Amino acid sequence: MEEIKILEATLRETVESCLADNRYVQIRNLLQDMNHVDIEALLAELAPDKTLRIFRMLPKEIAAEVFAEMDSDMQQYIIESITDSEVVRIMDEMYMDDTVDFIEEMPANVVKRVLRNTDEATRKTINQLLRYPEDSAGSLMTTEYVDLKKAMTAGEALEHIRKTGVDKETINNCYVVSVRQELEGVVSIRTLILSAPDTKVADLMDTQVKCICTLDDQERSVYLFRKYDLLSMPVVDQENRLVGIITIDDVMDVMEQENTEDFHKMAAITPSEAPYLKTGVFTLAKNRVMWLMVLMISATFTGFIIRHFEGALGKMVVLTTYIPMLMGTAGNAGAQSSTMIIRSLALNELEFSDLLKVIWKEFRVGATTAALLTIVNFARIILFDQVTLWVAVTVCLSLFCIVCLAKVVGGMLPILAERIHLDPVLMASPIITTILDALSLLIYFELATSILGIA
Amino acid sequence: MEEIKILEATLRETVESCLADNRYVQIRNLLQDMNHVDIEALLAELAPDKTLRIFRMLPKEIAAEVFAEMDSDMQQYIIESITDSEVVRIMDEMYMDDTVDFIEEMPANVVKRVLRNTDEATRKTINQLLRYPEDSAGSLMTTEYVDLKKAMTAGEALEHIRKTGVDKETINNCYVVSVRQELEGVVSIRTLILSAPDTKVADLMDTQVKCICTLDDQERSVYLFRKYDLLSMPVVDQENRLVGIITIDDVMDVMEQENTEDFHKMAAITPSEAPYLKTGVFTLAKNRVMWLMVLMISATFTGFIIRHFEGALGKMVVLTTYIPMLMGTAGNAGAQSSTMIIRSLALNELEFSDLLKVIWKEFRVGATTAALLTIVNFARIILFDQVTLWVAVTVCLSLFCIVCLAKVVGGMLPILAERIHLDPVLMASPIITTILDALSLLIYFELATSILGIA
């Protein structure tokens, strides 16, 4: 990774010095063999005016690909700096899903200018795609797919692909539709090539197509792509008419995005899509403060419990020293269980009917770990702390009960949450910890007052 | 999802009743149109002997695909129940990466039997693939790829693919190699089809191939697939000779697996690959108890701090009631920051040189959230708690300092961990919380003794 950094820095310097001396041919030669992702990475490091100068040198297909990779600030700057005919060229080359992603981020005046420079049909498609709800399959799809008819032969199908394929996002899977555009089957380019040219598409196609509806949640597409190892999937409307396809590159992005969301939610942060360094201080604070506030106020209940037992604590202040250890261990034990269960739910490995199995398993795991922790803790207290045997017994018995309880509660709550259609991630460590803090203290103080006879 | 469950149950019942009456033709008709993933899901719900009976009815290509999807217990049962010639048929049809995954899980006697039933060349390849370290690109790759020569024309290349493509895992990307098997370029089936048949492959191929070395970490393949939107990637040995390819379905699995690992590590669990319900109680306990023990013992330091200030606390027991709230808020605030930073590091959005930027940003986010939390908390204490103004001031000032500190520590530690080549995930909420518990108490008690004049 270090070497790549150095190479990139060298390349950037070379390009900048070429720009300074107007050695355009040399720049063009440099860029010629580069991947569009790498060109975008290079441009992102340059000043906007230099980016623009280089961008205008790119051949139109590459320009469109580089443009689709750019962040929206740079896209806006470019659109505002180039001529109408250049806008037309880029829009013509971009795939519809990238176009829509780009337009969604632009201010109204830029959107107007872009739409003015696209033809009637494209404008209609864009407007239609913009109407799909965020996170729906429709908002993820593109409209550039290969469609075939059942009556074609493999040879005719390949000929059709040769004629129309250049503008399609993928030709690896071709979709067979009826005259009314209803989805009838799928046939891969592999099958078409490996079959005898006179075989009918009807005999080659797979009629059990895994497809998704425009309004389905995009998470469902992640699930289907993973389950069936798909490269692309057709999207149909309510009348089963093919309206677009989703490709795997977009699904991978959704997958990482959903995972990031889960990580953030599990740390009690309102999720946001923007990368950390591009998010302002105020937004970051806003995304975090709400949950901190809720948790802080919940924690005051724990304070009430302590206050309730203030008399007992006053008589035996040494009990206070074990509070952080007990609360910490409860929180950690519960977080382990809830995290495992939340993740299993996300991967569809668990469902509500497994609830009892999970509770029983967590109870046994809890008892096993609790036993070990209790033994170690008892030895530590007896050896190092100057307390009576009965204090040690109280602390250890509390520890045992608390860990068992934490495991069961941590395993149970995410499943119950999903049952009542709440996001199971809500039951991640911050909430679990807060609940368990209160429960642990109750157990600890109840045991202390009965065993040690203080009140 | 509920409907799917019902459909699956109906299908299972139908198959079982057909089996009972030996209506094999009907079963065959039922299975004919089903995806291999769905067939495997159906078989997994049946008793092993019924699974075996149905498995033996499947055509050999489908049988191999279904077999590759099965869990290793079922694979072992099947191999031990079928004849040698049936073993040969399955092994012939399976892709090399699935074969190796399967063999890795089998006991020695099954491995012996399988290897005895494969030809010399396959056996050599299997042994070679088995030698790659776990989690390396080599262990992920398959050896069934299409290789072309530069001198071929597009038409000749397509002809070559027609002849050899049926056994390849993918034909979407074909790799161009020299006579010494060195990787020279990549050309997609799309390019071959859309180009004039007499164009030379040398003129069509992309020489800037993104490739990976056999010994590279599989995480690097996830990074490259996502960055460049790849469908497959060539794997080369140290002499740049093509030895295999990695396909995107395997990369998606690695991606989810790495994410699961990160989720588990962030909850202080030793990660394991097996699904929750298939993992035994003892293994689950073992994976969890180590970290719980470490954290429990660390938490005793927090106990020492309390003990050190026992005198002060004894004079003003009310201070104890705020300990859970302060420790909880510190832990939550720190976990928010560390989680965001850990995730950004995993997605390569951050690196060590951003450390100062992160610290400064977290300090400002910390101050903003801390200010809000402090105001709310001050109001709550004054309105509801019967404490003196100075106690309220002590608690609120502590809260402010603690939240700011938590944010900076939480943001800083994962980056520092990565710098010294530790997994940043180690700095997730359990460790951060334990560290912050101790720091918060120190701050709280120091402020309490100076402001309230107790000691």
Side-chain angles (χ1 to χ4, degrees), chain B residues 232-301:
Chain B
S232 63
M233 181 160 47
V235 184
V236 295
D237 65 11
Q238 259 112 357
E239 275 95 54
N240 195 37
R241 283 177 308 210
L242 182 61
V243 288
I245 58 168
I246 293 178
T247 50
I248 192 160
D249 51 320
D250 298 320
V251 172
M252 277 184 101
D253 291 342
V254 171
M255 211 164 120
E256 281 300 38
Q257 194 183 309
E258 304 271 354
N259 278 318
T260 302
E261 256 186 57
D262 280 357
F263 275 109
H264 287 181
K265 283 192 202 156
M266 285 176 93
I269 305 169
T270 312
S272 75
E273 279 179 28
Y276 177 77
L277 288 178
K278 301 225 165 187
T279 316
V281 169
F282 181 73
T283 313
L284 284 176
K286 200 187 65 186
N287 289 343
R288 298 183 190 179
V289 78
M290 212 36 233
W291 271 107
L292 280 185
M293 197 78 87
V294 171
L295 293 168
M296 182 184 81
I297 291 172
S298 320
T300 55
F301 288 105

Side-chain angles (χ1 to χ4, degrees), chain A residues 38 168 190 228 279 362, chain B residues 38 168 190 228 276 361:
Chain A
D38 296 323
K168 307 306 182 191
R190 175 196 183 114
Y228 296 106
T279 315
E362 284 303 319
Chain B
D38 296 323
K168 308 306 184 191
R190 177 195 182 112
Y228 296 107
Y276 177 77
K361 192 164 221 169

Side-chain angles (χ1 to χ4, degrees), chain A residues 8 11 30-44 51 54-55 58-71 93-95 98 169 249-250 253, chain B residues 206 208 210 224-230:
Chain A
E8 281 175 357
L11 179 69
L30 267 174
L31 298 181
Q32 194 166 23
D33 288 329
M34 276 172 69
N35 185 295
H36 64 272
V37 178
D38 296 323
I39 297 180
E40 195 281 318
L42 167 71
L43 295 188
T51 300
I54 296 184
F55 182 77
L58 298 170
K60 64 177 180 174
E61 315 85 54
I62 305 289
E65 287 180 324
V66 170
F67 186 80
E69 289 283 328
M70 286 176 164
D71 69 29
E93 287 293 330
M94 274 220 290
Y95 292 120
D98 294 329
E169 179 151 355
D249 51 319
D250 299 319
D253 291 343
Chain B
D206 180 358
Q208 303 288 310
K210 307 295 168 191
L224 291 172
F225 268 81
R226 281 202 64 215
K227 181 165 180 190
Y228 296 107
D229 287 347
L230 304 173

Side-chain angles (χ1 to χ4, degrees), chain B residues 47-96:
Chain B
D49 61 310
K50 290 182 186 159
T51 299
L52 183 65
R53 279 169 67 196
I54 296 184
F55 181 77
R56 292 179 121 159
M57 281 182 234
L58 299 170
K60 62 176 183 177
E61 315 84 54
I62 305 288
E65 285 179 326
V66 170
F67 186 81
E69 288 284 327
M70 288 177 163
D71 69 30
S72 45
D73 292 347
M74 187 46 78
Q75 287 178 329
Q76 183 173 348
Y77 175 79
I78 294 218
I79 290 293
E80 286 170 344
S81 316
I82 60 181
T83 65
D84 276 10
S85 65
E86 284 174 310
V87 173
V88 171
R89 271 207 298 278
I90 295 177
M91 290 306 119
D92 276 357
E93 286 293 330
M94 275 221 289
Y95 292 120
M96 204 49 88

Side-chain angles (χ1 to χ4, degrees), chain B residues 174-193:
Chain B
C174 306
Y175 298 97
V176 184
V177 292
S178 69
V179 280
R180 286 185 10 235
Q181 193 67 13
E182 287 150 335
L183 181 65
E184 296 184 316
V186 58
V187 58
S188 68
I189 190 84
R190 177 195 182 112
T191 309
L192 290 175
I193 289 184

Side-chain angles (χ1 to χ4, degrees), chain B residues 138-150:
Chain B
S139 74
L140 201 64
M141 73 185 184
T142 192
T143 49
E144 290 97 345
Y145 53 82
V146 177
D147 51 356
L148 304 174
K149 298 276 180 273
K150 269 201 289 197

Side-chain angles (χ1 to χ4, degrees), chain A residues 5 33 35 37-38 95 161-162 165-166 168-172 189-190 193-194 208 210 220 226-229 231 248-249 251-253 255-256 259-260 262-264 266-269 275-277 279 281 284-285 288-289 292-293 295-296 299-300 302-303 306-307 310 317-318 320-321 324-325 327 329 332-333 335-337 339-341 343-344 347 349-351 354 358 361-362 364-365 368-369 373 376-377 380 387 399 407 430, chain B residues 1 5 33 35 37-38 95 161-162 165-166 168-172 189-190 193-194 208 210 226-229 231 248-249 251-253 255-256 259-260 262-264 266-269 275-277 279 281 284-285 288-289 292-293 295-296 299-300 302-303 306-307 310 317-318 320-321 324-325 327 329 332-333 335-337 339-341 343-344 347 349-351 354 358 361-362 364-365 368-369 373 376-377 380 387 399 407 430:
Chain A
K5 290 252 157 271
D33 288 329
N35 185 295
V37 178
D38 296 323
Y95 292 120
I161 294 168
R162 276 202 187 92
V166 70
K168 307 306 182 191
E169 179 151 355
T170 178
I171 64 164
N172 296 331
I189 189 85
R190 175 196 183 114
I193 288 183
L194 301 181
Q208 302 289 310
K210 306 295 168 191
R220 192 174 151 73
R226 280 202 67 216
K227 181 165 179 189
Y228 296 106
D229 287 347
L231 294 178
I248 192 160
D249 51 319
V251 172
M252 278 183 102
D253 291 343
M255 211 164 119
E256 280 299 39
N259 277 318
T260 302
D262 280 357
F263 275 109
H264 287 181
M266 286 177 93
I269 307 168
Y276 177 78
L277 287 178
T279 315
V281 169
L284 284 176
R288 298 182 189 179
V289 80
L292 281 185
M293 196 78 85
L295 293 169
M296 182 183 82
T300 55
T302 321
I306 294 186
R307 169 155 296 187
E310 216 176 293
V317 184
V318 68
T320 321
T321 55
M325 185 274 289
M327 292 202 322
T329 308
N332 291 329
Q336 288 183 330
S337 306
T339 304
M340 274 208 105
I341 299 302
R343 185 64 182 159
S344 295
L347 295 177
E349 291 171 358
L350 275 183
E351 50 198 42
D354 297 317
V358 169
K361 192 164 220 167
E362 284 303 319
R364 284 175 298 160
V365 173
T368 317
T369 45
L373 293 174
V376 172
N377 200 44
R380 197 195 59 73
V387 295
L399 181 65
K407 287 289 174 199
Chain B
M1 299 298 248
K5 291 253 156 267
D33 288 330
N35 185 294
V37 178
D38 296 323
Y95 292 120
I161 294 168
R162 276 201 187 93
V166 71
K168 308 306 184 191
E169 178 150 355
T170 178
I171 64 165
N172 296 331
I189 190 84
R190 177 195 182 112
I193 289 184
L194 300 180
Q208 303 288 310
K210 307 295 168 191
R226 281 202 64 215
K227 181 165 180 190
Y228 296 107
D229 287 347
L231 295 179
I248 192 160
D249 51 320
V251 172
M252 277 184 101
D253 291 342
M255 211 164 120
E256 281 300 38
N259 278 318
T260 302
D262 280 357
F263 275 109
H264 287 181
M266 285 176 93
I269 305 169
Y276 177 77
L277 288 178
T279 316
V281 169
L284 284 176
R288 298 183 190 179
V289 78
L292 280 185
M293 197 78 87
L295 293 168
M296 182 184 81
T300 55
T302 321
I306 294 187
R307 170 155 293 190
E310 217 175 290
V317 184
V318 68
T320 322
T321 56
M325 185 274 290
M327 291 201 324
T329 308
N332 291 329
Q336 288 183 332
S337 307
T339 304
M340 275 208 105
I341 299 302
R343 187 63 183 159
S344 297
L347 295 176
E349 291 171 1
L350 275 182
E351 50 197 44
D354 297 316
V358 170
K361 192 164 221 169
E362 284 302 319
R364 284 175 299 160
V365 174
T368 316
T369 45
L373 292 174
V376 171
N377 200 44
R380 198 195 59 74
V387 295
L399 182 66
K407 287 287 173 203

